[in-house]
Amino acid sequence: MRYLAADLGVKNIRVNAISAGPIKTLAASGIGDFRYILRWNEYNSPLRRVVTIEEVGESAVYLLSRCRAACPERCCM
């Protein structure tokens, strides 16, 4: 992502990414041992919880807004 930001920044194109990790969704429930993956992430994350779908959406809205216009690159979550 940093390389993309460096290459595209000169063209005034912002590069952003959302790296949320595992999210509890219906599709994810089909992954074997997904509950254990979620539990491991909850235990090892600084907030002791996983990110919600709503938080990912809010981060995407922020990244697309003018509030981020001055930041050339950022990886959220």
Side-chain angles (χ1 to χ4, degrees):
M1 189 183 82
R2 289 183 184 199
Y3 295 113
L4 278 174
D7 290 344
L8 298 175
V10 296
K11 297 177 183 176
N12 202 27
I13 299 172
R14 292 182 291 150
V15 175
N16 299 294
I18 297 175
S19 179
I23 299 175
K24 192 175 184 179
T25 64
L26 182 59
S29 65
I31 298 171
D33 295 329
F34 189 70
R35 287 180 294 170
Y36 299 110
I37 295 169
L38 283 176
R39 249 187 249 141
W40 186 91
N41 277 279
E42 287 173 2
Y43 180 76
N44 289 292
S45 75
L47 296 176
R48 299 292 187 250
R49 64 179 184 82
V50 294
V51 176
T52 66
I53 294 171
E54 290 80 14
E55 291 171 324
V56 173
E58 290 168 359
S59 296
V61 169
Y62 168 71
L63 290 174
L64 293 170
S65 73
R66 283 316 223 162
C67 297
R68 290 271 301 130
C71 300
E73 50 89 8
R74 174 66 56 193
C75 184
C76 293
M77 302 283 176

